[in-house]
Amino acid sequence: MKQGEQKFSLARHVPSEQLRDVIKHFWIIRWDLTDQLPYEQGIVPNPCVNMVIEHGQTAIYGVAQNRYSHRLEGKGKVLGIKFRPGGFYPFAGLLISQITGRSMRLEDVFQADPRLLEQAVLSEDEDEDMVAAAEAFFLAHLPTKDNNVAYLNRIIDHIQGNRHITKVDHVCEHFEVNKRKLQRLFQQYVGVTPKWVIRLYRLQDAAETIDYGAYQDLTRLSIDLGYYDQSHFIKDFKAIIGATPEEYTKRVLHAT
């Protein structure tokens, strides 16, 4: 992280009240790698659709199910919109699982010229003015409120905040919802399954416990997370965190 902070700056901005139901935050990255080598920034997946406004490359990105990297080179800036889980569905009106792991063009959803949006947002120098230009665009395309978005966010917040949840059945019992209905809602609005969301947050919890030295026995850790196949745990951990549990533990020990 410290290395990344030296290569670029990242700022997050809370949206205005009218957009908070669907947009989690705006994010702005600036970098200047003039006369330096390109930098690969690793990104941990999350259950959110993002839209990135960048000169000539504006696009909408579905949920990435594995850790990935973004290449920074030269000098530039981008503004991103991180939608709440399910928050992009009211704008798009399409099955969000169709764009999981993929991207789509701005004009396929908003019927707007991306060049005009890029000019409006990226011609501004100050963060606040960039965000204001982006907000004006979304306020002009604001969809009808969809109560399923808030409902799904309550579920995902519950999953994230409760480490004992390792199965979809745990969620169904708490919210008194049919398992198939829950799975359909996640596919339609979020783009991934509730099982994937549970696994994502439990593996992030696992990395955090390793950070704090709370677990010395990785086999015990995998069982506590609901895994009974060590190879499956290792594979999933690497896909989300970017290293095997053993490699990650060695990095933590080396850093201390």
Side-chain angles (χ1 to χ4, degrees), residues 25-221:
H25 61 247
F26 295 93
W27 51 268
I28 297 173
I29 293 179
R30 301 173 187 268
W31 68 93
D32 187 353
L33 299 177
T34 305
D35 299 326
Q36 297 182 52
L37 292 173
Y39 177 70
E40 297 286 343
Q41 172 62 24
I43 302 170
V44 175
N46 58 73
C48 302
V49 171
N50 277 265
M51 179 171 138
V52 181
I53 301 173
E54 184 173 7
H55 281 301
Q57 299 184 61
T58 294
I60 297 156
Y61 296 89
V63 175
Q65 293 183 284
N66 297 317
R67 183 183 174 91
Y68 62 101
S69 63
H70 182 74
R71 187 181 180 89
L72 300 177
E73 55 187 332
K75 181 179 181 179
K77 63 181 178 182
V78 302
L79 180 140
I81 300 91
K82 185 174 186 178
F83 294 91
R84 289 192 176 279
F88 183 64
Y89 175 81
F91 290 100
L94 56 81
L95 193 67
I96 299 302
S97 60
Q98 293 179 349
I99 62 169
T100 297
R102 299 172 50 220
S103 65
M104 63 188 304
R105 302 183 306 167
L106 173 80
E107 52 267 43
D108 290 338
V109 176
F110 296 100
Q111 297 181 342
D113 188 338
R115 294 169 297 182
L116 296 178
L117 180 60
E118 291 164 8
Q119 174 63 24
V121 172
L122 300 176
S123 63
E124 299 290 352
D125 293 324
E126 301 298 326
D127 281 15
E128 292 75 12
D129 296 327
M130 292 174 66
V131 170
E135 284 211 334
F137 174 84
F138 284 104
L139 289 171
H141 294 87
L142 195 62
T144 303
K145 184 173 181 178
D146 188 330
N147 291 328
N148 280 331
V149 176
Y151 174 63
L152 286 166
N153 274 267
R154 287 198 300 273
I155 292 173
I156 290 175
D157 287 346
H158 181 72
I159 292 171
Q160 185 177 15
N162 291 274
R163 294 191 174 203
H164 69 275
I165 295 175
T166 57
K167 298 179 180 179
V168 178
D169 289 340
H170 297 159
V171 178
C172 294
E173 290 167 8
H174 182 84
F175 286 92
E176 299 181 343
V177 59
N178 177 273
K179 191 172 184 177
R180 288 187 178 180
K181 178 182 178 180
L182 183 67
Q183 290 171 334
R184 285 197 300 269
L185 282 172
F186 268 71
Q187 290 286 346
Q188 181 178 357
Y189 281 81
V190 186
V192 289
T193 65
K195 180 180 179 180
W196 182 87
V197 174
I198 292 169
R199 187 176 69 217
L200 169 73
Y201 288 122
R202 296 299 77 84
L203 290 170
Q204 289 182 359
D205 290 341
E208 185 177 330
T209 62
I210 293 172
D211 286 340
Y212 289 99
Y215 272 89
Q216 303 299 323
D217 185 348
L218 294 177
T219 300
R220 180 75 251 170
L221 174 58

